[in-house]
Each structure stands twice: as structure tokens, then as C-alpha cells.
Amino acid sequence: MSKWSAIIDRPEAIYSMGILLDRYLAEIAPQKAHNTYKDNIRYIQNLKTAFGEMRPTEITPVDIYQYLDVRGETAKSAANREKEVLSHVFTMGVRWGIVQDNPCRF
């Protein structure tokens, strides 16, 4: 076994956005300020409702635009904050080796 493989772990089987969102909520969100963390919990609940069953690798910018269009009808500013959290989730997903790119960057 090489030194590199001893240092890093292979990503766990993350086959749904729900699992990726849960990992983010467990590992990243708690490091944020208390109110931001509480907001992240609420945003992630909404994101799990919309994307939870989808595979992270299958989400496209079109899916995210559609989400913003639907959410924006009632809560435009909340939808934009949810997109910011989703973008950070995907950034971490790239870092963790789960996805190749961030579909929120458009």
C-alpha cells in the first residue's frame, strides 16, 4: 500500500444527494457560526426534498435553474441562499471525489 493511499480514504458510497447533503451537514455545517448552521439545516431540508433521491453526478445546471424558478415564486432570496449552500455542497463533493464538477457554477 502506498503512503498516499494510507493518508487518504476513498469516498464512501455516496449514491444520492441525500447522503451527500447529510455528510455536508455532519462534517462542514457544524463548523459555521451558530445562526448560519441553523439556516443550513433548514436549507438542506429543502434541498433534500428536491434533490435527495437524485445521484450527485446526474444533477445539471438545468435542474438547479428549475429549482430556483419553482422556489423563487414564493421565496426568491431563500432560494438563492439554498443555491449557495448547494454550490458549497458540490464544491465539497469535488474535494471528496464524489463529483467531477459543480453544476451550480453557471
Side-chain angles (χ1 to χ4, degrees):
M1 180 160 71
S2 73
K3 278 187 166 184
W4 180 249
S5 63
I7 294 170
I8 63 167
D9 291 326
R10 283 284 191 211
E12 297 175 20
I14 302 227
Y15 54 85
S16 74
M17 275 305 295
I19 295 171
L20 179 57
L21 290 163
D22 286 342
R23 181 173 177 183
Y24 181 88
L25 199 55
E27 295 181 25
I28 303 302
Q31 299 174 23
K32 298 180 179 184
H34 180 71
N35 287 339
T36 303
Y37 174 63
K38 286 173 51 178
D39 289 342
N40 277 197
I41 291 170
R42 190 174 68 245
Y43 299 151
I44 287 174
Q45 287 173 342
N46 290 335
L47 293 168
K48 282 177 83 171
T49 299
F51 299 109
E53 298 300 317
M54 297 176 76
R55 292 184 175 278
T57 56
E58 294 176 347
I59 295 177
T60 66
V62 172
D63 297 320
I64 296 163
Y65 274 122
Q66 289 173 343
Y67 176 77
L68 290 174
D69 289 344
V70 170
R71 286 285 291 137
E73 293 172 4
T74 58
K76 187 173 183 170
S77 63
N80 287 327
R81 287 190 297 271
E82 290 164 6
K83 180 195 168 259
E84 290 172 7
V85 170
L86 184 61
S87 181
H88 196 232
V89 169
F90 273 109
T91 296
M92 295 310 300
V94 171
R95 185 175 192 146
W96 293 330
I98 296 160
V99 294
Q100 294 297 310
D101 58 3
N102 183 342
C104 296
R105 300 200 182 227
F106 44 78

